[in-house]
Amino acid sequence: MLRQVASRGLAVLRGAAASQRTCTSRVSSSSPSDLLEQTRRLGALSREYSTALNLHRNTGDNNPEVPFEFTQANLERVKEVLSHYPKNYKQSGIIPLLDLAQQQNGGWLSISSMNKIAEIVGVAPIRVYEVATFYSMFNREKVGTYHVMVCGTTPCMLRGSRDIEAALLKHLGVDRNEVTTDGKFSVGEMECMGSCVNAPMIVVADYSNGVEGFTYNYFEDLTPESVVEIVEAYRRGEKPKHGTQNPERLNCGPAGGLTTLLGEPKAPPCRDLSAC
Amino acid sequence: MAPRCRRYPLPLPRSSTGSGSRRFISSPVDSSVAAGSGVAGAKGSTSKALNSGVAWYAGIRGKLYERKYGSDFYKWGSGASLGGVRHARVASMPAVGAKFDAKPEDCIEVSVDGKDVTVAKGMTVLQACEVAGVDIPRFCYHPRLSIAGNCRMCLVEVEKTPKPVASCAMPALPGMKIKTTTPLVKKAREGVMEFLLINHPLDCPICDQGGECDLQDQSMVYGSDRGRFIEAKRSVTDKNLGPLVKTVMTRCIQCTRCVRFASEIAGVQDLGVLGRGGAEEIGTYVEKLMVSELSGNVIDICPVGALTSKPSAFTVRSWELKSTESVDVSDAIGANIRVDSRGPEVMRVIPRLNEEVNEEWISDKARFAYDGLKRQRLNEPLIRREGQLEPISWPQALKTVAEAALKVNPDEMAAIAGKLSDAESMMALKDFMNRLGCERLWVEGNSEDTVADLRSNYLVNSTIAGLENTDACLLVGTELRIEAPLLNHRLRKAVRNSRAKVGVIGPETELHLKAEHLGNSTDILASIAEGKHPFAQTLSSAKFPTIIVGSGVLQRSDKEAVLAAVQTIAHKANVIREDWNGYNFLLLNAAQAAGLDLGFVPGSRAPVGDKKSIKFLYLLGADDLTPEDIPADAFVVYQGHHGDRSAYRADVILPGVAYTEKEGTYENTEGRTQQTSPAVPTVGDARDDWKIIRALSEIAGVKLPYDTLNGVRARMLAVAPNLFRVDELEPATPLPKESLPETKGKLDSSPFKRAVENFYMTDPISRASKTMAQCTAAYGRS
């Protein structure tokens, strides 16, 4: 019953919320003032979507008039990418080319860069926009030089990824998907990146040195303190040690040494081949 | 707990098999074959029936037919009762959708709901069900588009498969046991429907699709009376697709029909699927209008109310409309249309199925120019007194015209039939003028000295549908996309399906198909004729070569030389053979072909050229003359339905009727005779065009010998018998090879000009249309 009242209230307020593209808005309180408060927070909720708006609006630094060209070195890479595919299936190279353009462009894809790729692979621009909007690793708005992505999927969440994110946002003084005023950092959300063993984890995409110096490193076994240290190390221009931050753990092995498989493993049962 | 997801029960789509179904659209041969195969299939025919290689029609219906023939979605639940309904409909329905010429060895047997049916190899499970007479609900599947398989509504059960199968995307295999009425199928479809309705707004009462909506109809069977989804629904930003298509993107169910239509049929790669998951939406990403002459068709293929007609937004409900089957006159293709009217007003125009002419598409001009029928109409006879037009009674108007005509020497008379004239009024006008002794007649679009001796010289001989078979096509002096969007679509099909090579001589235009622009000069034409140009080789090595000449060349001073060069090319490249005639002359206007067949051309005694000698000019809705062309002392009669350009110069105006108000015969550019039917009453004191001329002839003392429409048609039968055989294509005898024309005059080096300056405004109706004016402003020349 509570949920019913709440969602009815929300339906009334949906007009305001609609523009925020809210989908998840389960509300747990029933009093009208609480409802209003919840609704005010819908703006924050809308950022739970990792994808941005699915349409492009021209801005000063992102419009088709702003030129985009691959650098000479990257043109070689373009050639290399296209060499993987048959000549009549050049569009297969859209994803690697978008990735390349994103790295060259400081972490995001401008409309001109997508148009350029469409031109290179010989398809209509919309076919490139479709791909770029589908994958959440393609940023269509500016991100920081170091784009920090926090895993928010269940194992990491159970191991405290929300605290990690809160610590990051508080330390950097930004909201999710917002860039710090110095342009150095931005925090986004990602779904499972496969490091559940060492949860919670983040990824830092480092766009400070273009395509050559691009790194995309995992930092695992984090605490709200260690994640701030990692960010600070990046700010100082260092390259913090990636992988697990737990000194007791080797890669994704158990912390504090092995707890199983201690002896020599038994050989698999095998037929006596020589007997044949 | 109050039901949250209440569906609004709206009236069922009208079952309109009776109304306006004067005749059916495809030729009798076709529909009988379709009926035969459909019925045979449903009764569980074996390959016996196929021994002669019967053409198989899957009988797949798009939305059009559901609208047209009423919906039997309501019977899907029970399934078994479909047989009778289906038979009745197939027997009277034209063949639709996939067509297979299957030999017995190319057929397989499957069982649908325990009934064995024989289908062609390669057919999908859904098509097999259609053959068996079982309707499968669907949203994304459309017989003319590629298969997407993403709506999941068409789930069926196939024995020995672990899960329900999307029937539209699954090929039918020998021995397959398909079940469509099991509880599993019902449950699966109900699940799909529940998901589709999660984000679909319940705004049917304010939705223009209400009453003819696939989702609404199918939810009556598979929808629940309440939903379990209690979260807020998503909303999607509306897109601006131009002045014709209104978008309410929140209603979109992502079937991607419009995306596939745009890229596969219209050839504009503007629409796409953006985002993913719950945020997925259809859009253009950047601000972009959909620039295509066929864009209005996305309204028809959209299964929900996401894409609706902008001009008719909030004006009609589908069940209020009276439907009249008619023919479009905005170009020479003669697309089959259905005019939907309410009272005296045409509310919308939508396509009718005719595989031979327009399939199920129509151009935007055909669809949206109807609002021009309500503006600038002439509703009473007018006469010019002291420079001003004043109302006058019919008898006085006719008397004035008759007196003026009789005062003038026959050599100083002329009559021009306008673009939209029907054959009956042209017949009457020709007889009337001839009786007065005048032979100076022509139809707009033809030149003043057109010869109508050889019918194959002015028709699209490959036929419109036949153009799909071509593998090399030369376009001469035509902008096909603008002059005939539906013919361009056929050529595009040929390019897409069989990689036909297209060469263009003429103004450079984007055709939305892969074409090579050879240049815009007659030199290229001459060099192809001499065999020097590489395209000559392309043409002569082609199996089914075609040439399309635009009738814009008729306006050139060197038209005879141009046509002679084209015919030389045609003969050299073997374009005209016994089994294939690829010589096509594309007409621009609806009246042209019938006019030429009736001999509405200058007679041998008629003076040609100088218009200054004209003292009495009869304009039957002809508006292309500039005021300078008409001598100042000429007496001008304007008979037409719109106060368009020439009406301003007229001395007497006789109000006629528009194509939606009369029963008129038209012949399209391939020589197919078709008729319009009156959908709405005439305006004011206007009269049928042939009747006006008949009355005038009596007052002028040269009474025409017919008093009824059938009388005029009997006269037409004597002059051009093919105009009497409605809905039939009368092919022209191919030009014999030895009759190569003597080249009169030399090729002029001037480039080919555009025949149509603005696609959206070509005739009195579209020039009066606000929608067409908006299109002109939005798309420019496009």
Side-chain angles (χ1 to χ4, degrees), chain A residues 157-171:
Chain A
M157 191 197 77
L158 293 172
R159 299 277 293 151
S161 68
R162 288 184 177 172
D163 300 334
I164 303 286
E165 190 186 13
L168 270 175
L169 295 179
K170 184 168 175 242
H171 179 73

Side-chain angles (χ1 to χ4, degrees), chain A residues 44-269:
Chain A
L45 279 169
S46 76
R47 278 189 292 273
E48 282 183 12
Y49 259 146
S50 51
T51 47
L53 266 189
N54 281 333
L55 56 115
H56 166 82
R57 295 211 170 95
N58 283 342
T59 57
D61 52 5
N62 188 12
N63 65 63
E65 308 302 319
V66 179
F68 175 89
E69 287 296 336
F70 280 110
T71 60
Q72 204 52 47
N74 287 348
L75 276 177
E76 290 302 313
R77 291 189 172 92
V78 170
K79 229 185 250 170
E80 208 272 329
V81 165
L82 292 180
S83 73
H84 296 190
Y85 309 105
K87 279 215 173 77
N88 50 340
Y89 285 101
K90 276 201 269 186
Q91 64 264 41
S92 304
I94 289 178
I95 293 178
L97 292 184
L98 282 170
D99 189 33
L100 188 67
Q102 175 159 300
Q103 290 171 24
Q104 178 185 318
N105 204 32
W108 68 294
L109 290 165
S110 60
I111 191 84
S112 330
S113 65
M114 292 189 261
N115 291 345
K116 185 77 200 172
I117 288 165
E119 190 192 313
I120 290 171
V121 300
V123 296
I126 185 74
R127 301 280 97 88
V128 178
Y129 305 152
E130 283 180 322
V131 175
T133 53
F134 187 87
Y135 293 103
S136 52
M137 280 161 80
F138 293 129
N139 307 311
R140 286 167 291 117
E141 275 160 29
K142 272 194 175 166
V143 294
T145 315
Y146 304 99
H147 185 46
V148 184
M149 287 159 278
V150 183
C151 175
T153 311
T154 320
C156 283
M157 191 197 77
L158 293 172
R159 299 277 293 151
S161 68
R162 288 184 177 172
D163 300 334
I164 303 286
E165 190 186 13
L168 270 175
L169 295 179
K170 184 168 175 242
H171 179 73
L172 296 171
V174 290
D175 265 342
R176 194 188 272 183
N177 290 338
E178 213 176 64
V179 187
T180 52
T181 40
D182 60 359
K184 278 211 153 165
F185 291 97
S186 55
V187 182
E189 196 231 10
M190 262 304 176
E191 295 313 323
C192 185
M193 287 174 275
S195 272
C196 315
V197 168
N198 295 356
M201 61 86 70
I202 62 166
V203 170
V204 179
D206 175 1
Y207 297 106
S208 57
N209 290 311
V211 179
E212 292 80 8
F214 174 70
T215 57
Y216 189 81
N217 284 334
Y218 282 23
F219 297 88
E220 301 147 3
D221 283 322
L222 297 172
T223 59
E225 295 76 38
S226 62
V227 79
V228 169
E229 270 170 39
I230 290 166
V231 168
E232 280 310 305
Y234 270 115
R235 201 193 289 282
R236 290 193 297 273
E238 295 164 15
K239 300 283 170 210
K241 170 182 167 282
H242 58 85
T244 176
Q245 304 297 305
N246 184 346
E248 290 180 17
R249 201 202 285 277
L250 179 65
N251 297 334
C252 55
L258 294 179
T259 56
T260 182
L261 293 178
L262 294 170
E264 190 66 22
K266 233 176 32 182

